[in-house]
Amino acid sequence: MFKSLVSFLGLLVIVLGISGCGTTHKAESNTAAPSMPDDQTIGTVTSKEQGELTVDYSEWYYRGIDGPIAGTGHSVKLPLADSVTATNKTGKKVALKDIKIGQKLSLVPAVQDQTKWKASKVTLLPMTKKEIWHDFLAEGTTSFQTSVFFEEGKPIGKYDMENLLDKDNPSPFANGGISWVHYEPDYVVDVKKELKISKMPVILIFNQEKEVFRTYKKEEAEKYLNEH
């Protein structure tokens, strides 16, 4: 699915799929990274195009470093035509073309040189709810994260950045951040189905655990954020 980083009045704004942009994820917290293994690379599929998977392994690369890290910058390509066999947690074989965007992977051998690396083993790793919904959920001390969920290739009109964010006035969306997320049917979870979304674009507001509010009106979203 999912999301180039933009800054507006100092808040982190994540934009997904606008004007054909690829997926870039939010900055990660690396608190748990010290426990990551050295003999395999742990990464997440961020795109699936031009016959290959892109796997971002920035969090693994910065393992052992406590605190916030850049969410992107270190990635490798997995050609879908590669002969390597992927398996899921039960040991069942999975074709590379069937791996979803957002899926967490273990890559062997560990990546040392991006330009020379080639996978000999790929394993789909189990994911927590927080990992699956990472791009939507509020993080740290932030109360809310707002997402404008839309269909790629279709105009979003009044839901675009210019209309929702007023650079001359403080925005309630500054309490956390706001992202534009295009619907990606090949994502690790079908967001449209899971959240029972029948119409897009729609404004979704999440706390650190789940969706707490949705609306089709900017004013209602602002009112909710101002009152909470």
Side-chain angles (χ1 to χ4, degrees):
M1 173 166 52
F2 291 0
K3 308 165 179 180
S4 45
L5 298 178
V6 209
S7 178
F8 176 81
L9 295 178
L11 71 119
L12 183 64
V13 179
I14 301 155
V15 181
L16 291 151
I18 295 180
S19 301
C21 291
T23 297
T24 306
H25 295 272
K26 293 195 290 190
E28 302 277 358
S29 171
N30 215 41
T31 304
S35 63
M36 286 187 171
D38 293 324
D39 60 348
Q40 58 185 286
T41 291
I42 307 300
T44 301
V45 178
T46 55
S47 69
K48 187 177 181 179
E49 54 190 7
Q50 298 179 338
E52 59 187 12
L53 299 176
T54 298
V55 182
D56 184 278
Y57 63 92
S58 299
E59 188 176 0
W60 178 87
Y61 181 87
Y62 291 107
R63 66 198 183 284
I65 300 176
D66 199 14
I69 62 168
T72 60
H74 298 275
S75 63
V76 288
K77 306 291 186 181
L78 274 176
L80 298 183
D82 201 313
S83 59
V84 64
T85 299
T87 57
N88 62 19
K89 61 182 180 181
T90 64
K92 182 179 179 180
K93 292 182 179 180
V94 179
L96 293 182
K97 66 180 179 64
D98 293 329
I99 297 177
K100 303 290 187 180
I101 296 171
Q103 177 63 53
K104 185 177 179 181
L105 300 177
S106 163
L107 305 175
V108 174
V111 179
Q112 301 295 333
D113 183 338
Q114 292 171 304
T115 62
K116 299 179 180 179
W117 179 84
K118 180 177 175 60
S120 62
K121 182 180 179 182
V122 177
T123 306
L124 283 68
L125 299 176
M127 299 175 67
T128 65
K129 181 179 179 180
K130 186 175 182 179
E131 287 174 325
I132 293 172
W133 293 95
H134 172 262
D135 290 313
F136 291 92
L137 299 177
E139 294 186 329
T141 58
T142 300
S143 299
F144 299 106
Q145 167 74 21
T146 303
S147 293
V148 178
F149 195 60
F150 67 97
E151 292 185 85
E152 188 174 21
K154 294 188 177 182
I156 59 176
K158 64 181 181 180
Y159 298 94
D160 65 14
M161 187 182 297
E162 184 176 349
N163 283 295
L164 292 185
L165 298 177
D166 185 350
K167 64 181 180 180
D168 296 320
N169 295 295
S171 169
F173 296 119
N175 182 10
I178 182 169
S179 59
W180 280 257
V181 186
H182 74 264
Y183 173 55
E184 173 55 77
D186 204 26
Y187 189 61
V188 68
V189 63
D190 189 331
V191 177
K192 182 178 177 181
K193 181 179 180 180
E194 190 74 16
L195 297 182
K196 298 180 173 60
I197 296 173
S198 58
K199 180 183 176 183
M200 294 180 278
V202 60
I203 300 173
L204 308 172
I205 298 176
F206 289 76
N207 61 17
Q208 295 180 3
E209 298 180 353
K210 62 183 179 180
E211 178 193 357
V212 292
F213 187 75
R214 76 172 62 182
T215 180
Y216 294 96
K217 298 180 179 180
K218 170 188 175 181
E219 296 76 17
E220 290 182 353
E222 290 178 327
K223 183 174 185 289
Y224 179 88
L225 292 171
N226 283 327
E227 291 179 350
H228 294 78

